[in-house]
Amino acid sequence: MNYRVLLAGLAMSLALGGCATKPANEASLKSSYAAEEPHHKPLKANDPIEMEPKKWLVADLETRAAVDAGAPHDLAGRTLEVSSLKDIRLADKEVILTFDDGPAPGKTDRILATLDRFGVKAAFMMVGGMAQAHPATAREVLAHGDAIGSHTFRHPDLDKMTFDAAMTEIARGKDAVTKAIGTDVPFFRFPYLADSKRLRTAIAARDMIVMDVDIDSKDYFTSTPLSVVDRTMKQLYQRGRGIVLMHDIHPRTVRMLPVLLSRLEKEGFKVVTLKYKHAPAPATNLVAQAGTKMVR
Protein backbone atom coordinates (compact mmCIF):
# COMPACT_ATOMS: atom_id res chain seq x y z
CA MET A 1 0.00 0.00 0.00
CA ASN A 2 1.40 3.43 -0.94
CA TYR A 3 0.97 5.35 2.30
CA ARG A 4 2.48 8.50 0.81
CA VAL A 5 -0.30 8.64 -1.80
CA LEU A 6 -2.95 7.95 0.84
CA LEU A 7 -1.64 10.70 3.08
CA ALA A 8 -1.55 13.08 0.12
CA GLY A 9 -5.15 12.20 -0.65
CA LEU A 10 -6.19 12.80 2.96
CA ALA A 11 -4.45 16.18 2.98
CA MET A 12 -6.16 17.11 -0.27
CA SER A 13 -9.57 16.10 1.12
CA LEU A 14 -9.08 18.25 4.20
CA ALA A 15 -8.00 21.21 2.09
CA LEU A 16 -11.03 20.90 -0.18
CA GLY A 17 -13.43 20.70 2.75
CA GLY A 18 -13.60 24.48 2.83
CA CYS A 19 -13.92 24.93 -0.92
CA ALA A 20 -16.27 27.76 -1.81
CA THR A 21 -16.73 30.35 -4.48
CA LYS A 22 -14.17 33.14 -4.09
CA PRO A 23 -15.20 36.75 -3.56
CA ALA A 24 -15.01 39.09 -6.53
CA ASN A 25 -15.84 42.68 -7.39
CA GLU A 26 -18.42 41.95 -10.07
CA ALA A 27 -21.98 41.15 -9.06
CA SER A 28 -22.10 37.64 -10.47
CA LEU A 29 -21.97 34.07 -9.32
CA LYS A 30 -18.31 34.58 -8.47
CA SER A 31 -19.30 36.93 -5.64
CA SER A 32 -21.36 34.31 -3.84
CA TYR A 33 -18.59 33.30 -1.44
CA ALA A 34 -19.52 32.69 2.17
CA ALA A 35 -17.55 30.77 4.77
CA GLU A 36 -20.70 29.81 6.66
CA GLU A 37 -24.44 30.21 6.61
CA PRO A 38 -25.66 33.84 6.89
CA HIS A 39 -26.49 34.77 10.47
CA HIS A 40 -30.13 35.34 11.35
CA LYS A 41 -31.52 37.94 13.74
CA PRO A 42 -31.16 37.07 17.45
CA LEU A 43 -34.07 35.09 18.84
CA LYS A 44 -36.45 36.77 21.24
CA ALA A 45 -37.56 35.10 24.44
CA ASN A 46 -40.80 33.64 23.04
CA ASP A 47 -39.61 32.82 19.51
CA PRO A 48 -39.94 29.15 18.46
CA ILE A 49 -36.65 27.37 17.89
CA GLU A 50 -36.29 25.10 14.85
CA MET A 51 -34.22 22.22 16.15
CA GLU A 52 -31.52 20.86 13.84
CA PRO A 53 -32.39 17.17 14.48
CA LYS A 54 -35.94 17.87 13.32
CA LYS A 55 -34.69 19.45 10.11
CA TRP A 56 -32.42 16.49 9.44
CA LEU A 57 -35.32 14.11 10.12
CA VAL A 58 -37.39 15.76 7.40
CA ALA A 59 -34.57 15.23 4.92
CA ASP A 60 -34.19 11.61 6.02
CA LEU A 61 -37.91 10.96 5.55
CA GLU A 62 -37.90 12.51 2.08
CA THR A 63 -34.81 10.52 1.17
CA ARG A 64 -36.44 7.25 2.24
CA ALA A 65 -39.58 8.10 0.30
CA ALA A 66 -37.51 8.84 -2.80
CA VAL A 67 -35.49 5.65 -2.55
CA ASP A 68 -38.18 3.26 -1.36
CA ALA A 69 -40.87 4.32 -3.83
CA GLY A 70 -39.67 1.72 -6.34
CA ALA A 71 -41.56 3.38 -9.20
CA PRO A 72 -39.78 4.00 -12.52
CA HIS A 73 -38.30 7.47 -12.81
CA ASP A 74 -38.80 9.98 -15.58
CA LEU A 75 -35.97 12.38 -14.84
CA ALA A 76 -33.50 11.57 -17.63
CA GLY A 77 -33.48 14.05 -20.48
CA ARG A 78 -31.64 14.27 -23.77
CA THR A 79 -27.94 13.64 -24.43
CA LEU A 80 -26.11 16.82 -25.42
CA GLU A 81 -22.95 16.36 -27.51
CA VAL A 82 -20.63 19.34 -27.27
CA SER A 83 -17.28 20.31 -28.75
CA SER A 84 -17.12 23.84 -27.31
CA LEU A 85 -18.67 25.96 -24.59
CA LYS A 86 -21.12 27.56 -27.01
CA ASP A 87 -22.68 24.14 -27.63
CA ILE A 88 -23.97 23.96 -24.05
CA ARG A 89 -27.42 25.44 -24.61
CA LEU A 90 -30.17 24.29 -22.29
CA ALA A 91 -33.91 24.58 -22.81
CA ASP A 92 -36.32 25.57 -20.05
CA LYS A 93 -36.37 23.06 -17.16
CA GLU A 94 -33.17 21.35 -18.28
CA VAL A 95 -30.28 20.93 -15.86
CA ILE A 96 -26.75 19.53 -15.94
CA LEU A 97 -25.60 18.09 -12.62
CA THR A 98 -21.92 18.63 -11.80
CA PHE A 99 -19.75 17.58 -8.86
CA ASP A 100 -16.39 19.15 -8.03
CA ASP A 101 -13.35 18.25 -5.91
CA GLY A 102 -13.54 14.44 -5.87
CA PRO A 103 -13.22 11.59 -6.30
CA ALA A 104 -13.83 10.68 -2.67
CA PRO A 105 -14.28 7.02 -1.68
CA GLY A 106 -17.40 6.47 0.39
CA LYS A 107 -19.06 9.54 -1.07
CA THR A 108 -18.56 9.56 -4.84
CA ASP A 109 -19.64 5.92 -5.10
CA ARG A 110 -22.82 6.61 -3.11
CA ILE A 111 -23.60 9.57 -5.36
CA LEU A 112 -23.16 7.31 -8.39
CA ALA A 113 -25.59 4.80 -6.85
CA THR A 114 -28.20 7.54 -6.35
CA LEU A 115 -27.78 8.78 -9.91
CA ASP A 116 -28.19 5.22 -11.12
CA ARG A 117 -31.44 4.76 -9.18
CA PHE A 118 -32.90 7.82 -10.90
CA GLY A 119 -31.47 6.85 -14.29
CA VAL A 120 -29.43 10.02 -14.80
CA LYS A 121 -25.80 11.02 -15.40
CA ALA A 122 -23.66 13.88 -14.13
CA ALA A 123 -20.31 15.54 -14.84
CA PHE A 124 -17.48 15.11 -12.32
CA MET A 125 -14.74 17.77 -12.26
CA MET A 126 -11.91 15.91 -10.53
CA VAL A 127 -8.97 17.41 -8.68
CA GLY A 128 -5.79 15.80 -9.99
CA GLY A 129 -4.42 15.06 -6.55
CA MET A 130 -7.64 13.35 -5.52
CA ALA A 131 -7.78 11.24 -8.70
CA GLN A 132 -4.14 10.27 -8.19
CA ALA A 133 -4.88 9.20 -4.61
CA HIS A 134 -8.14 7.38 -5.45
CA PRO A 135 -7.85 6.01 -9.02
CA ALA A 136 -10.29 3.16 -8.39
CA THR A 137 -13.06 5.59 -7.49
CA ALA A 138 -12.19 7.74 -10.50
CA ARG A 139 -12.47 4.70 -12.78
CA GLU A 140 -15.82 3.86 -11.19
CA VAL A 141 -17.14 7.22 -12.41
CA LEU A 142 -15.85 6.43 -15.91
CA ALA A 143 -17.48 2.98 -15.86
CA HIS A 144 -20.77 4.57 -14.81
CA GLY A 145 -20.80 6.60 -18.02
CA ASP A 146 -20.63 10.09 -16.54
CA ALA A 147 -18.72 13.00 -18.08
CA ILE A 148 -15.34 13.66 -16.47
CA GLY A 149 -13.27 16.82 -16.37
CA SER A 150 -10.30 18.19 -14.47
CA HIS A 151 -10.18 20.82 -11.74
CA THR A 152 -6.40 21.53 -11.53
CA PHE A 153 -4.04 19.39 -9.45
CA ARG A 154 -4.04 21.17 -6.08
CA HIS A 155 -7.19 23.35 -6.32
CA PRO A 156 -5.36 26.70 -6.06
CA ASP A 157 -6.72 30.16 -6.86
CA LEU A 158 -5.38 30.55 -10.40
CA ASP A 159 -6.21 34.25 -10.34
CA LYS A 160 -3.34 34.74 -7.86
CA MET A 161 -0.77 32.91 -9.99
CA THR A 162 1.25 33.92 -13.03
CA PHE A 163 -0.14 32.79 -16.36
CA ASP A 164 2.61 30.20 -16.87
CA ALA A 165 2.22 28.80 -13.35
CA ALA A 166 -1.55 28.60 -13.77
CA MET A 167 -1.26 26.75 -17.09
CA THR A 168 1.25 24.34 -15.54
CA GLU A 169 -1.20 23.65 -12.69
CA ILE A 170 -4.05 23.09 -15.16
CA ALA A 171 -1.97 20.74 -17.32
CA ARG A 172 -0.74 18.79 -14.29
CA GLY A 173 -4.30 18.30 -13.05
CA LYS A 174 -5.54 17.18 -16.47
CA ASP A 175 -2.64 14.73 -16.82
CA ALA A 176 -3.28 13.23 -13.36
CA VAL A 177 -6.98 12.63 -14.04
CA THR A 178 -6.20 11.24 -17.50
CA LYS A 179 -3.66 8.83 -16.03
CA ALA A 180 -6.08 7.73 -13.28
CA ILE A 181 -8.94 6.81 -15.62
CA GLY A 182 -6.95 5.88 -18.72
CA THR A 183 -8.63 8.28 -21.14
CA ASP A 184 -8.54 11.97 -21.99
CA VAL A 185 -10.68 14.44 -20.02
CA PRO A 186 -11.98 17.30 -22.19
CA PHE A 187 -13.86 19.35 -19.57
CA PHE A 188 -12.36 21.79 -17.06
CA ARG A 189 -13.62 23.99 -14.24
CA PHE A 190 -11.75 26.82 -12.56
CA PRO A 191 -11.31 26.41 -8.78
CA TYR A 192 -13.35 29.10 -7.01
CA LEU A 193 -14.53 30.04 -10.55
CA ALA A 194 -11.44 32.28 -10.64
CA ASP A 195 -10.94 32.62 -14.37
CA SER A 196 -9.47 35.17 -16.75
CA LYS A 197 -9.99 35.86 -20.43
CA ARG A 198 -6.39 34.87 -21.20
CA LEU A 199 -6.67 31.54 -19.37
CA ARG A 200 -10.04 30.74 -20.94
CA THR A 201 -8.62 31.43 -24.42
CA ALA A 202 -5.57 29.25 -23.76
CA ILE A 203 -7.73 26.40 -22.46
CA ALA A 204 -10.05 26.57 -25.48
CA ALA A 205 -7.01 26.43 -27.78
CA ARG A 206 -6.15 23.08 -26.16
CA ASP A 207 -9.59 21.63 -27.04
CA MET A 208 -10.81 21.80 -23.45
CA ILE A 209 -14.29 22.99 -22.55
CA VAL A 210 -14.68 25.25 -19.52
CA MET A 211 -17.66 24.24 -17.39
CA ASP A 212 -19.29 27.36 -16.02
CA VAL A 213 -21.87 27.43 -13.22
CA ASP A 214 -25.44 28.76 -13.25
CA ILE A 215 -26.77 27.33 -9.98
CA ASP A 216 -24.50 27.17 -6.90
CA SER A 217 -25.95 24.75 -4.34
CA LYS A 218 -23.51 26.04 -1.70
CA ASP A 219 -23.32 22.54 -0.29
CA TYR A 220 -20.06 23.61 1.34
CA PHE A 221 -22.10 25.56 3.91
CA THR A 222 -22.38 23.82 7.27
CA SER A 223 -26.13 23.48 6.82
CA THR A 224 -28.60 20.61 6.67
CA PRO A 225 -29.15 18.55 3.53
CA LEU A 226 -32.68 19.94 3.26
CA SER A 227 -31.33 23.50 3.29
CA VAL A 228 -29.10 22.64 0.34
CA VAL A 229 -32.09 21.27 -1.58
CA ASP A 230 -34.26 24.30 -0.81
CA ARG A 231 -31.49 26.73 -1.79
CA THR A 232 -30.84 24.92 -5.08
CA MET A 233 -34.51 24.66 -6.04
CA LYS A 234 -35.11 28.33 -5.25
CA GLN A 235 -32.40 29.32 -7.75
CA LEU A 236 -33.79 26.92 -10.35
CA TYR A 237 -37.30 28.37 -9.95
CA GLN A 238 -35.82 31.82 -10.65
CA ARG A 239 -33.56 30.86 -13.54
CA GLY A 240 -35.54 27.98 -15.03
CA ARG A 241 -32.54 25.92 -16.17
CA GLY A 242 -28.80 25.66 -15.76
CA ILE A 243 -25.60 23.91 -14.74
CA VAL A 244 -25.79 22.97 -11.06
CA LEU A 245 -22.64 23.02 -8.92
CA MET A 246 -22.26 20.46 -6.12
CA HIS A 247 -19.30 18.70 -4.47
CA ASP A 248 -18.87 14.95 -4.05
CA ILE A 249 -16.68 15.36 -0.95
CA HIS A 250 -19.41 16.39 1.51
CA PRO A 251 -21.62 13.93 3.44
CA ARG A 252 -24.53 16.39 3.32
CA THR A 253 -24.40 16.29 -0.48
CA VAL A 254 -24.66 12.51 -0.43
CA ARG A 255 -27.66 12.73 1.90
CA MET A 256 -29.50 15.48 0.07
CA LEU A 257 -29.08 14.21 -3.51
CA PRO A 258 -32.05 11.76 -3.51
CA VAL A 259 -34.28 14.55 -2.20
CA LEU A 260 -33.03 17.01 -4.82
CA LEU A 261 -33.57 14.53 -7.65
CA SER A 262 -37.06 13.76 -6.37
CA ARG A 263 -37.90 17.47 -6.29
CA LEU A 264 -36.52 17.97 -9.79
CA GLU A 265 -38.61 15.10 -11.10
CA LYS A 266 -41.73 16.30 -9.33
CA GLU A 267 -41.32 19.79 -10.81
CA GLY A 268 -40.87 18.48 -14.34
CA PHE A 269 -37.14 19.13 -14.76
CA LYS A 270 -34.96 16.93 -16.97
CA VAL A 271 -31.32 16.02 -16.35
CA VAL A 272 -29.23 16.40 -19.49
CA THR A 273 -26.38 13.94 -20.14
CA LEU A 274 -23.21 15.65 -21.34
CA LYS A 275 -21.00 14.04 -23.99
CA TYR A 276 -17.85 15.38 -25.60
CA LYS A 277 -17.74 15.44 -29.40
CA HIS A 278 -14.46 16.05 -31.20
CA ALA A 279 -14.66 19.07 -33.46
CA PRO A 280 -14.40 18.17 -37.16
CA ALA A 281 -11.23 19.10 -38.97
CA PRO A 282 -11.44 22.39 -40.94
CA ALA A 283 -12.74 21.93 -44.48
CA THR A 284 -9.69 23.73 -45.92
CA ASN A 285 -7.43 21.00 -44.56
CA LEU A 286 -9.55 18.30 -46.15
CA VAL A 287 -9.46 20.05 -49.51
CA ALA A 288 -5.71 20.48 -49.30
CA GLN A 289 -5.23 16.80 -48.46
CA ALA A 290 -7.46 15.73 -51.35
CA GLY A 291 -5.54 17.99 -53.73
CA THR A 292 -2.25 16.50 -52.63
CA LYS A 293 -3.49 12.97 -53.29
CA MET A 294 -4.74 13.97 -56.75
CA VAL A 295 -1.31 15.40 -57.71
CA ARG A 296 0.41 12.21 -56.63
Side-chain angles (χ1 to χ4, degrees), residues 11 18 43 47 64 114 116 129 131 133 143-144 157 188 192 214 219 223 226 229 283 288:
L43 289 170
D47 285 347
R64 291 173 194 163
T114 298
D116 202 40
H144 187 260
D157 186 343
F188 173 79
Y192 311 105
D214 301 313
D219 56 352
S223 57
L226 191 58
V229 173

Side-chain angles (χ1 to χ4, degrees), residues 5 19 110 114 134 154 190 211 218 221 248 259:
V5 172
C19 173
R110 291 171 64 189
T114 298
H134 310 295
R154 298 177 295 110
F190 285 93
M211 287 292 293
K218 292 185 172 63
F221 278 161
D248 54 330
V259 184

Side-chain angles (χ1 to χ4, degrees), residues 75 90-98 213-217 228-246 256-257 259-265 267-271:
L75 185 58
L90 299 178
D92 190 40
K93 288 207 167 184
E94 285 189 333
V95 299
I96 295 174
L97 306 175
T98 67
V213 174
D214 301 313
I215 309 295
D216 187 352
S217 71
V228 179
V229 173
D230 290 340
R231 179 164 49 240
T232 303
M233 292 304 300
K234 181 179 179 180
Q235 295 177 70
L236 278 171
Y237 292 146
Q238 294 173 345
R239 188 178 180 90
R241 72 195 71 145
I243 302 172
V244 182
L245 169 63
M246 294 171 283
M256 73 86 185
L257 186 59
V259 184
L260 175 64
L261 297 184
S262 291
R263 295 261 186 102
L264 289 173
E265 187 172 29
E267 296 295 330
F269 284 89
K270 295 293 184 182
V271 175

Side-chain angles (χ1 to χ4, degrees), residues 128-196:
M130 293 290 282
Q132 179 176 283
H134 310 295
T137 306
R139 289 193 294 271
E140 190 175 348
V141 176
L142 178 68
H144 187 260
D146 299 87
I148 298 177
S150 58
H151 196 41
T152 72
F153 187 82
R154 298 177 295 110
H155 201 282
D157 186 343
L158 299 180
D159 197 35
K160 295 180 179 178
M161 303 170 67
T162 65
F163 174 79
D164 289 341
M167 289 304 298
T168 298
E169 174 68 25
I170 292 169
R172 186 184 178 198
K174 185 178 189 293
D175 290 345
V177 178
T178 298
K179 183 177 180 180
I181 67 173
T183 188
D184 189 37
V185 287
F187 299 100
F188 173 79
R189 177 171 283 153
F190 285 93
Y192 311 105
L193 306 183
D195 63 351
S196 71

